[in-house]
Amino acid sequence: MIPRHFLPVRSGGNAARPHAQPSLPLLAFLLALPFLLAVMLLPRTATATETAPDSILLAANATGSSPVRTDAPLRVFILDQPPWSYLHEGQPQGAAVDVARAVLRRLGRNVEFVVTPFNRGLSLVRQGKLDAALAVYRTPEREQFLHYTTVPLYDEDILLMVHPDDRALANDTSGTARDAILYGDKPVAVALGYSYGPTLDAIFARKGLIRTSSFYSAQEGVQALLRHEVAAVPGTEPTLRALLHRIAPGSTPVLLRPPYDYVSAYMAFAPTDENALLAADFDATLGRMRASGEYARILAEADRILHAHQGQ
């Protein structure tokens, strides 16, 4: 048996036992213990990257802001504007919807898409009752109350679409046929609150210059065109094609050229300081997705899904 060694004890029942001196490694551990305990008690918010591991820190580093994790979903209003945004069996679909969802997921944010008429949706964003508007053009008036992103969701030409029976008009690309329709006796269908780019916006703003007929949505304008109630519908080629296919499958659109403008559509957030930072983070992440090719892949998959829906 190995003998046990005891420290010497002084005589007397209340005499104190001398203390052993701690070793150097033990002393270092004792000195570091308060710091280790403080680290272990830090809040769990730092683990937000567990749900968005590949981008929340990238976005924060790009803008110098701190990543903020919240379980409250961003409420974003969208238009019925295929192929960019639309509902299929009650679910939001479309290329712009998929891009925005992917960006916000990388930023650790959930999103809820709400379909409303344009004027109502923009008013709700302005009042702070909705958090953002998806795919809106930049105008001086809207810049007064929206935090726009600077990286566009997509870019398109603004054209006029006439009735599918007016095929002969498509052969004139000089602008003569286009302007004859625009300034003719029959009204042009416009959706309430829409911007159609700086050129057409300026023309529509001139009282008495041309005749217009207002509708709540682009689809209503296309329906009026097919009933021969209006002469033309302005818009972008992908959207006009998709709406015509939805209403009158098999019809071939007649689009008049040259285009009036080439415009970009952006994400636009409600006017808060937090949303200003979120818009900057959105830009940083979307820019990386464009550069990596992920953006193009999302658009290609959204196009495949749209064609699958149209085939049903």
Side-chain angles (χ1 to χ4, degrees):
M1 173 180 292
I2 299 176
R4 297 180 60 188
H5 298 279
F6 294 91
L7 293 174
V9 181
R10 295 179 186 176
S11 59
N14 295 326
R17 181 179 297 175
H19 296 288
Q21 296 298 318
S23 64
L24 288 179
L26 178 60
L27 181 61
F29 172 77
L30 292 174
L31 291 174
L33 183 58
F35 174 77
L36 293 173
L37 290 173
V39 171
M40 293 172 65
L41 293 175
L42 283 175
R44 290 288 294 168
T45 53
T47 63
T49 53
E50 294 171 4
T51 56
D54 56 344
S55 66
I56 189 168
L57 294 181
L58 289 176
N61 291 339
T63 61
S65 63
S66 298
V68 177
R69 177 72 184 181
T70 176
D71 292 329
L74 285 169
R75 302 189 71 220
V76 178
F77 106 78
I78 62 175
L79 294 171
D80 179 28
Q81 189 171 278
W84 304 111
S85 57
Y86 60 95
L87 290 180
H88 179 72
E89 298 180 349
Q91 297 302 312
Q93 303 281 348
V97 169
D98 291 345
V99 168
R101 185 185 285 120
V103 171
L104 291 170
R105 184 183 298 121
R106 285 173 174 264
L107 295 176
R109 300 301 300 267
N110 297 319
V111 60
E112 176 186 343
F113 294 103
V114 180
V115 178
T116 74
F118 187 82
N119 271 350
R120 174 171 172 76
L122 209 60
S123 176
L124 291 173
V125 174
R126 186 171 190 170
Q127 297 170 31
K129 296 179 180 178
L130 292 177
D131 298 298
L134 179 72
V136 292
Y137 299 155
R138 188 186 298 273
T139 69
E141 295 79 13
R142 295 173 187 171
E143 287 181 321
Q144 301 301 312
F145 61 90
L146 291 174
H147 286 306
Y148 274 92
T149 58
T150 56
V151 179
L153 291 165
Y154 58 86
D155 314 276
E156 293 181 305
D157 289 329
I158 301 293
L159 306 163
L160 282 186
M161 183 174 75
V162 295
H163 196 280
D165 294 342
D166 298 331
R167 298 216 57 79
L169 296 178
N171 297 326
D172 182 0
T173 58
S174 68
T176 301
R178 179 199 69 176
D179 291 343
I181 293 292
L182 182 65
Y183 296 101
D185 294 331
K186 211 169 186 179
V188 173
V190 296
L192 290 169
Y194 274 41
S195 169
Y196 293 99
T199 300
L200 284 180
D201 284 355
I203 292 173
F204 293 154
R206 292 278 300 276
K207 300 296 183 182
L209 185 60
I210 64 170
R211 297 184 63 195
T212 62
S213 184
S214 297
F215 299 90
Y216 283 111
S217 67
Q219 176 168 310
E220 290 181 0
V222 175
Q223 290 170 328
L225 177 69
L226 295 176
R227 295 192 300 264
H228 296 280
E229 295 173 1
V230 297
V233 180
T236 62
E237 181 171 352
T239 295
L240 293 173
R241 283 184 178 276
L243 290 174
L244 182 64
H245 186 278
R246 177 193 289 175
I247 300 166
S251 298
T252 303
V254 179
L255 300 162
L256 305 186
R257 301 178 188 278
Y260 285 99
D261 282 304
Y262 183 73
V263 297
S264 298
Y266 301 89
M267 191 81 165
F269 292 91
T272 68
D273 292 340
E274 180 183 352
N275 283 343
L277 295 175
L278 181 57
D281 289 344
F282 192 99
D283 274 331
T285 305
L286 180 54
R288 289 187 177 89
M289 290 169 61
R290 279 181 171 269
S292 69
E294 182 179 358
Y295 171 86
R297 291 191 293 273
I298 292 174
L299 263 58
E301 177 63 11
D303 185 64
R304 184 194 67 77
I305 292 173
L306 175 64
H307 283 86
H309 294 162
Q310 290 176 337
Q312 292 180 354

